[in-house]
Amino acid sequence: MKLLVTGGAGFIGANFIHFWLRRNPNDAIVNFDALTYAGNLENLRDVEKHPGYSFVKGDITDPIAVNSAMNGVEAIVHFAAESHVDRSIDHPATFVKTNVLGTQVLLDAALKNGVKRFHHISTDEVFGALTLEDATKFSELTPYNPRSPYAASKAGSDHLVRAYFHTYGLATTISNCSNNYGPYQHPEKLIPLAITNLLEGKKVPIYGDGFYVRDWLYVEDHCRAIELILKHGVAGETYCVGGMTENISNRQIISKILQLMDENMSMIEEVSDRPGHDRRYAVDWTKINTQLGWQPQHEFETGLEETINWYMEHKDWWQHVKSGEYKEYYKKQYQS
Ligand code: NAD
Ligand code: TYD
């Protein structure tokens, strides 16, 4: 099979390409990525020489580039997006352009090129926010209620994907997953930010009261879910994908990281809260479990230890990422 992976130079996309080529070595993958600040070809050094792998530098909002990359492609796995909530608060227009318009351009090209499956990677953030008090989780039936420009732009893209299924008959599937963590994640996100700051002897910024809850999914478990959806998922369907954590707060996560890295609580720094900060996310993954037999395999503690070890062993990788554009971003975001 020949796949077009968009955003394959980013965190989840790069993990997915490694995962797929390991398990499907005779397949071909075209990695289509604009190499924004979040795209890093270093993430793909290990697969560069694989005979089935190729890279195309291109922007998903450019119909000509997108059309020419689709030659002979049977399936698309669409990761490319602006993905960071804090950046969406400062620059919402970029999010609308890439996430909404970019997805529509890809859908159009997929239709024109007779692509057999379009799998769209979305987020649980489209469902809004839960409270700490209730025990509810997001599922495929939860109404959309996005609250950040990032979440709103991803919601827009999900609606377009469904519209192309219903209106034009394009065979689409969607997965709405929770917060991923693992190797190759950009240090702008909470877990790698905490680990790399501590490795640099810097404190870990915690927003507001720190009692915010996310559902944490190890990236390899996510890749396995995508593989199952591509191979056995039903066109027109949505699958929610979540991890094994239950109501673990940012404060508890940072404490765990401090403990695993032999640091103490004085390394936490309370900083201003994120505007419109969603209190809690939790994902009910019963549908993908019962219909496709998927379940996460990484306990949070094991996945976290593996992630810490990866960042300890790949200092060059993150030091390089942190030395570029990120330096300016960090200064502005954290006033330090
Ligand atoms: P990322 O920011 O690490 O990577 C995004 C990639 O997309 C980068 O390689 C970037 O260069 C590329 N890209 C951005 N704009 C582009 C454009 N206009 N044209 C082509 N390429 C472009 O993101 P990630 O964390 O790997 O997330 C991947 C997908 O998963 C996104 O769609 C995101 O919304 C979704 N998601 C992520 C998480 C998470 O925890 N990271 C959780 C839920 C859903
Ligand atoms: P993040 O990794 O940005 O993912 P998302 O906003 O998509 O959930 O943030 C995860 C949680 O950590 C979220 O509640 C915001 C919080 N957070 C901090 O407390 N400090 C930080 O420096 C960052 C980046 C996030």
Side-chain angles (χ1 to χ4, degrees):
M1 173 152 74
K2 183 173 177 183
L3 285 100
L4 178 75
V5 171
T6 69
F11 162 48
I12 309 175
N15 275 283
F16 177 78
I17 292 174
H18 282 109
F19 177 89
W20 190 273
L21 288 177
R22 222 171 34 239
R23 292 169 59 99
N24 306 277
N26 298 324
D27 280 359
I29 289 189
V30 180
N31 173 13
F32 185 91
D33 197 298
L35 299 182
T36 67
Y37 81 91
N40 185 352
L41 289 179
E42 287 298 317
N43 301 359
L44 296 146
R45 284 283 170 252
D46 298 349
V47 294
E48 260 175 0
K49 293 201 174 67
H50 189 288
Y53 173 77
S54 59
F55 173 70
V56 175
K57 185 172 187 295
D59 192 315
I60 56 166
T61 64
D62 173 355
I64 295 168
V66 164
N67 264 296
S68 64
M70 273 191 203
N71 194 15
V73 164
E74 288 159 85
I76 296 175
V77 191
H78 175 33
F79 295 95
E82 287 293 336
S83 69
H84 192 35
V85 174
D86 292 326
R87 291 185 192 249
S88 83
I89 294 167
D90 291 338
H91 302 286
T94 321
F95 283 68
V96 174
K97 186 173 180 220
T98 292
N99 300 358
V100 183
L101 178 65
T103 301
Q104 187 270 325
V105 168
L106 275 174
L107 287 161
D108 237 23
L111 197 60
K112 280 197 195 112
N113 286 276
V115 170
K116 293 194 180 70
R117 171 65 73 84
F118 186 104
H119 182 66
H120 176 58
I121 310 295
S122 191
T123 167
D124 59 356
E125 304 193 23
V126 298
F127 300 122
L130 302 164
T131 66
L132 290 180
E133 291 73 33
D134 72 28
T136 325
K137 292 187 174 188
F138 298 135
S139 79
E140 294 78 9
L141 301 175
T142 307
Y144 276 41
N145 183 22
R147 294 157 39 102
S148 71
Y150 163 67
S153 67
K154 291 297 290 187
S157 65
D158 292 12
H159 292 320
L160 281 163
V161 172
R162 289 198 184 96
Y164 270 71
F165 169 74
H166 290 292
T167 307
Y168 307 109
L170 183 67
T172 60
T173 41
I174 299 178
S175 49
N176 292 89
C177 70
S178 60
N179 285 61
N180 284 222
Y181 67 102
Y184 299 111
Q185 187 167 29
H186 194 287
E188 68 188 356
K189 305 281 173 28
L190 180 68
I191 289 180
L193 173 69
I195 300 168
T196 59
N197 269 18
L198 292 171
L199 290 172
E200 290 178 308
K202 282 171 39 186
K203 292 190 177 189
V204 180
I206 191 158
Y207 293 164
D209 60 20
F211 294 108
Y212 290 92
V213 169
R214 300 292 182 261
D215 180 317
W216 294 95
L217 169 67
Y218 193 64
V219 65
E220 192 184 293
D221 284 332
H222 182 197
C223 293
R224 215 163 19 81
I226 300 167
E227 182 184 45
L228 275 172
I229 297 169
L230 276 173
K231 292 188 173 174
H232 306 292
V234 177
E237 291 292 313
T238 292
Y239 301 88
C240 283
V241 184
M244 287 171 106
T245 56
E246 290 283 339
N247 285 326
I248 177 166
S249 70
N250 294 343
R251 226 170 243 288
Q252 286 169 296
I253 287 177
I254 303 303
S255 305
K256 192 86 237 162
I257 294 174
L258 290 171
Q259 185 203 327
L260 290 168
M261 293 181 70
D262 225 5
E263 297 275 2
N264 63 54
M265 300 297 270
S266 67
M267 293 305 280
I268 291 182
E269 182 176 20
E270 285 173 14
V271 299
S272 315
D273 210 348
R274 170 187 284 173
H277 198 167
D278 288 344
R279 189 48 87 176
R280 182 172 79 92
Y281 305 144
V283 170
D284 176 352
W285 39 266
T286 307
K287 177 176 171 182
I288 187 168
N289 177 247
T290 52
Q291 296 190 4
L292 304 183
W294 178 89
Q295 63 179 53
Q297 289 176 352
H298 289 79
E299 297 278 356
F300 184 61
E301 184 139 347
T302 335
L304 194 57
E305 271 181 57
E306 279 176 30
T307 306
I308 293 172
N309 289 338
W310 189 88
Y311 282 89
M312 281 177 155
E313 286 160 12
H314 292 82
K315 277 198 175 143
D316 286 354
W317 181 88
W318 59 260
Q319 279 171 347
H320 181 68
V321 174
K322 279 189 140 179
S323 67
E325 175 268 1
Y326 183 71
K327 241 180 170 170
E328 285 311 304
Y329 166 80
Y330 195 92
K331 239 192 249 165
K332 192 163 166 268
Q333 179 70 13
Y334 299 97
Q335 284 91 48
S336 65

